[in-house]
Each structure stands twice: as structure tokens, then as C-alpha cells.
Amino acid sequence: MKAGVIHCRCSKCYEVPARKRVRKRSVDLSLLSLPEEILLYVLQCLSAEDLLSIRAVHSQLRDIVDNHSSVWARVRFRDTWPSPKTLWLFERAAEKGNFEAAVKLGIAYLYNEGPLLSDEGRADVCGRKASHFFSLAESLRSPTVDPFIWVFIRPPWSPTGSCCKAVVFDRLKAECDNNIEKRGPLLHCLARVLQLFDEDERRSDAIAMLEESSLAGCLQSSYLLWEHSHKASMADPGRYLQCIRTLRDYAGKGCWEAQLALAKVCSSGNPLGLELKACSDLVAQLFSSSNTASQHCAQGILRRGIKDTMRYILVDWLVEVTTMKDFSSLTLHVTVGCVDRYLALRSVPKARLQLLGIACMVVCTRYISKEILTIREAVWLTDNTYKYEDLVRMMGEVVSVLVGKIRSPTLLDYGEVLLYLLPLERRTTHLFSYICELSLLYSALAAPPPAKLACAALLLSRALHHYAPLWPTLLADYTGFSKQDLVPLSVLLYVKCFSKDVPKDYRHVSLTGVKQRFEDEAYQHIGKEKVMDFKELCQILEIPEVVPQMEPPSPTGQPPDIHTFLASPSSTSKRRRDDDMQAHRGSFVATPTAELSNQEETLLGDILDWSLDTSCSGYEGDQEEESEGEKDEDSSMISIKLHPLTEEDKRLEHCRALSSDEDSFCGAEIEVSEDYQGQEPLSFSADLHSSGYSSVQSVNTSSTSSSSSSLMPCTFKTFTTPLGAASANAQPGFRLLVPMQRPRGTSRQQVKRKNVAAHSTGEVEREEEDLEGEEYAGFLSL
């Protein structure tokens, strides 16, 4: 018997040693071992910088990256701008079908921001390059969407002769003759540009271009032609009926403007001769199609660390800019919509929130208004916190993230349909617009669909002006919403919009830009109108006297009812102090300045121009202190109780102004105890990256209980006190930043805020760090 061979299980054979089995080692899996389809999916999710690094690892990865255009078409260029070193990368991605790269290249060449070109013939070279990439970007979008590149080449053009916009216009016009596939959207863009000129000849050319674009299949051009000709057909019933049928066809193909116009026509009459039920169903279809993207948008903002107060300050400042420049309310609504949609998709450092807001306004004014907000003027409005190139690059980021979709359905769109359906008195109409703009300030009111929120605002307006019935059957049939569906949202609107506990800046001045805007005579001083108390409203709505409590879990697992009230980004708008210490403010300018009150002069004496940390902007909402919990979970806040000053504290007040012109300030977050009882030592957290603007913190059960949450089914709690006293137990506390003094010739100064923040490199600002053991600037506690 051979050794190592087992013949049986007997004792003799069993003693023969058996051959050992060798286990095979498992093969190590690497990225290259994945199937090519999965590997392509992984590569498509990388940024441009990471893709180049992966490409250099292995020859097989290099071949996959170079030979598959889908990888380049989906590569991301977040916070990256074309430069001489990366120009080839952007151009390669754009030629492979990358929309973001094409948009950024078009804007970079149009404004000569990024690529280094010689001055000789620069307008012609940049114009040819910009027209190529703008045309490429437009061709990458769906043919049913609204073309957008005309926004960047619209007038005014440079009167000096060599204008890059004019070169782009001429090149796009020549391309329409050579490329039949792109004729539709390109001719539409050229026509939109010519419509903005005053010459009749150019406007006639615009109509001719719209006709050619419509024949090429551009739905938006067809609607603009209908809009141009439908007024002339109203005199002839037969022509008008055919005109409405054409509008119905455009609406059925998915044109949003056509759907809105058809709903207005059917609300004011029945030109199609439909049955009453069919006509109401047609309008109700528009309201029911209001998607729930707004709810996902609000949740996305919270997940990315943008708190309710930060957004409130930004929107309040945008309201001031809108009022100062006399832009329409629609421009404001579309601007805020763009800000929310961008924040839902991309995270933005707090120091760049103001840059995002003003960039969205620049783009939206070019899309909606005849008078635009120029880039240089927009930079001035931020107190030169950002540079010209910063704003140009942010415009490219916004348009690329939103995929060129600037216009989205707003509250005002559905509100116009409601007013066509059941007109209101002029004063009530102003109240309705007032409530709509107030709702822009709160993240909790950005969660409901705009159609339902518009109906709730109308219900609240009718209740406040004692209309009867509150919600007629006509409104219920045409909107699809019953009174019971809207009452909880109307109550939430009332609690949010008419609460007296609004955020305040460091001077204890309420941020009431919308209220001041509607106190103008053009709105019949509706902002000064006394609003009925909550008890009377509940009686009119026939509901118990309760306040809705928004209690969904926070996205980060932390309590959502604590927020820091930051300062306003623009402090020279007309506002009032709650204590009536400031009776009137002089000029109405949205550029950030600081005006010192008599009380502050008594405490501070002559004031010194304060400088900011180089990592912060001049926008007062860009910095919010973080506690240790926020660093871990980005949501919690550490609060410090503030008690009345003792005599010893008052004696030491003026010893706390320990700052210099070159040092940045730090802040401490303060929370007032409910009854100001008891005394505990004050403590402060050091933050060397604070912007230098003081912030105010207040806890309010009615206005902040849902500020960081999306709309959820309401739970009710018995409410036995008036709304104005809802937070009487939570007294607002504030802290005042005291800069170092120097002699001044005058006793009252209006100080321009200085800022040396550098944002031109497009880099992402680092998060604030809590540095222990560092000296902090002194604060005067009141």
C-alpha cells in the first residue's frame, strides 16, 4: 500500500497519513476587478480633479476615461473655474457633452474672467469662443425647456464699439444659418434680445425670428407669438376661439406659461364653451400639478446647515435691494426660489450666502425685468465684500447647478389665477401680496407646495378683512382645496407672518424689510394696518384658540427650536426699534452701513471703523457661532444665561473693549432666562473667525418652533394668551460688540463697514473652529 493513500476506514489503513488539503487564498478585489459598467458609474460621480488622479493610476483606467464620453459628460466642476491651467479640461468636457463646463466656459469668455487673452482683438476672440460654448450648452438641454443664454447677451451693450455681447449675437445669428438642428432655441434667444431694444425695426426682426423658431419646433417661441397676437384677435369671436384652442394645445405640450395663461382665461370666463365641471377641472389641474419639490427643497436646505435665521436675514436684505431698485415682486419671488433650489443641491459657506443671493438677483433681473441689476452695482450693494470676478463665477455656479432653469412656479403665479377667479378689493389685494412676501422669510413656509400656500394666503386675507363666505364653493371647485385643507396652513401663516418676535440685529432693531416696503403709499400703507388678534381670527375661522406646533424631528437629530438671531446684512433701510428709540431713519440704501444710536454713543463714545476677519464677508448673517455640539452634528447650540447687571458689572462695563483694528472679533451666544431670576457667572466661547457683527438670540415658541423643519401634520396645544404675548416669558437678550475707541470730531457717525475678505479664488471657506485658550475681544453685556 502506498503511503499517503487511504483505502478504507480500518485501523490498519486509517493510520496511514493522509495528504493535506491546501486552501486557496481568496483573490484580492480592486477597482479594476469591477465590471466595466459599474466602474463607469463610479467614474461618472467624480469631480474633475479626482478623475485626473484616477486616470493617472493605471493604463486601463486611462483608456476607460479617454474612450467613454459619458465619463466626461458627467464629471463635476464644483467650485472650479476655467483658468489657463484647467482650460483644456473644461473644453474637453464641454465637447463631450458636459453642460456645466460649457456654461462656465461661455460665461468665462464673455466676461474675460479666467482665460488669459491679449488685449488685441480680445472682444472678437472672446465673442467667438463664448458663442460656441453658449450654443453647445443650449443644445445639451431638452427642446421643450425655455432657452436661457439670451440672459447673458441681452442689452445694454457697450457704446464704445467693441462689445463682446454684440459679437456673440452676430456669431449665433450666423450659426443659425449653418446649423439647422440648433435653429429653434438659438433663434428664440436672438429674438428675446431684439425685443428689448426700442427700435421698431429690431422688434419687427424679433417677430420674424420667433416665427422661424416656432417653425423649427421651439414651443416657447410659439407661445410668445400667441402672446403677441391674441389681443388683436379679441375683437373677433371666431378668431378669439381659435386663439384659445391654440393656447390649449401649447399647454398640453408642457409649456408652463401657456398652462398659466389658460388657467387665467378659464377663471375669468368660459371661452371654450366647456361644461362648468370641465372648466373647473382644467383650472384645478394646474393647482394639483404643483409638485412637492418645495418640501424636498426646504429639507435639503436644513440638511446642508442653512438655518432659518440665516435664510431670514438673506431674504430680508434681498427685499431691501428689490425696494431700492424698484424691481417687481415677481423678481423677488423668482430670486428667492433660485436661492432655495441652489441651497437644496449645494452647500454654501456662511460667508458666501450674500454672494449667492445677489448673484441670483442679477440673473433673475436679466430674465424678468427690463431694467437689470448690473454686476458692478451688485458688488457695490454688498459693500465691496466680494469682487467682480466673484460674482461672475457665482453666476456660472447658479446657472450650471439649476441647469439653466431660472423661472419656476411661484406664489404670485397661482395668486394671479385666484384673483382672476374671484377679484378682491384693492386694499385686500395689497394685503394678499403682503402676506405672500412675508412668507418668503421663513423656511417652514417654503415646504408647502406654492399652489396650496397661495390658497392659504388668500383665505387668511379674506378672513382678516371679514369677507363672507371665507372660502366660497367657486374657489373650492376651481382649486381643489377645501376650507378644512387650508385652515391649518392659514393659521401657520398668521403665526409666522404677524408675530412680533422677529429676528433683530445687534442694535436691537427688528428686521422688517417687507413691512417697511408695504408701508408705502403705493400699497395703501397696508403694512401699517393693525392686524386682528389671534382669538378673533380663530372665531372667524371657526376653530379652537390654538397655535400649531411643528414638531418633526430635526434632520440632524437635534432640537429644532433654538436659533441665533443674527444681524441684518443691510442696516440703513427704514426700520423701527421695538422700544421706539429710533423714530425715523434717513436715506433708504441697501448698502451695509452702521448707524449708532444715542444709547450706544453713551456707552461707546466716539467710535472707530471696525475691521473684519479676512475670512468673513460684510454680510451680517454670514457668521453664526458654533458650540461643540455643532461641530459634531452641525445643529445644536450652546446657550448662556444672561442676568441683570449688578453694580459690580456696571462698574466693569467699560473695561471690556479690548480689540484692535487688525484682530477679528469673537462672539458669545446668549440666552435670556425666562424670568431673569438668580445670578450665575457669565462665560464666553472664543471664536476667532467671527465677522465682528453682533448677533441677537431669542427663543420664541410661536416663531421658531418650526423654523428648521418642513411642514408636517399640525398638533395643537391650548393657547390662552394673546399672540403678541406668546413669548413674553422669553425676553430677548442681546450682546453688543465694542470696538477699540479713537478720537473723532463728531459725536454721531454713520460708519461704512470695512471688509477685506478675499473670495476671488473660488475656494471653499473653511468651517469655523472653536479655539480654546485664545484671547477674545471684549463684549459689553447689557
Side-chain angles (χ1 to χ4, degrees), residues 325-375:
K325 295 296 296 179
D326 198 24
F327 292 137
S328 65
S329 183
L330 179 61
T331 302
L332 175 63
H333 280 261
V334 175
T335 299
V336 176
C338 288
V339 171
D340 287 342
R341 286 188 289 144
Y342 183 91
L343 290 176
L345 299 172
R346 291 279 179 91
S347 58
V348 178
K350 289 177 283 187
R352 294 174 66 86
L353 269 180
Q354 189 186 21
L355 178 62
L356 171 63
I358 199 64
C360 290
M361 179 158 282
V362 169
V363 173
C364 292
T365 55
R366 293 166 181 258
Y367 187 89
I368 296 174
S369 305
K370 187 172 183 180
E371 298 296 329
I372 67 172
L373 181 64
T374 64
I375 297 178

Side-chain angles (χ1 to χ4, degrees), residues 308 442 495-496 499 501-502 565 700-707:
D308 192 34
Y442 301 95
V495 171
K496 286 287 186 181
S499 172
D501 298 304
V502 298
F565 282 2
N700 176 14
T701 57
S702 62
S703 64
T704 63
S705 60
S706 61
S707 55

Side-chain angles (χ1 to χ4, degrees), residues 131-150:
S131 64
H132 170 70
F133 290 110
F134 276 143
S135 174
L136 186 60
E138 196 65 72
S139 65
L140 295 175
R141 304 173 73 228
S142 171
T144 59
V145 298
D146 191 6
F148 75 99
I149 60 174
W150 64 273

Side-chain angles (χ1 to χ4, degrees), residues 645-721:
L645 292 180
T646 62
E647 295 298 329
E648 182 66 18
D649 294 331
K650 295 178 180 178
R651 186 175 65 83
L652 298 176
E653 281 179 354
H654 300 285
C655 299
R656 297 172 182 168
L658 303 175
S659 61
S660 66
D661 279 344
E662 301 300 326
D663 295 333
S664 58
F665 296 138
C666 63
E669 296 183 347
I670 303 170
E671 183 182 63
V672 183
S673 61
E674 294 185 358
D675 52 0
Y676 277 169
Q677 297 296 327
Q679 297 187 10
E680 296 178 5
L682 293 177
S683 60
F684 298 91
S685 60
D687 185 356
L688 299 184
H689 299 281
S690 172
S691 66
Y693 295 108
S694 300
S695 58
V696 179
Q697 177 170 325
S698 174
V699 178
N700 176 14
T701 57
S702 62
S703 64
T704 63
S705 60
S706 61
S707 55
S708 65
S709 60
S710 57
L711 186 65
M712 298 291 289
C714 297
T715 60
F716 292 90
K717 181 178 67 175
T718 303
F719 184 81
T720 58
T721 58

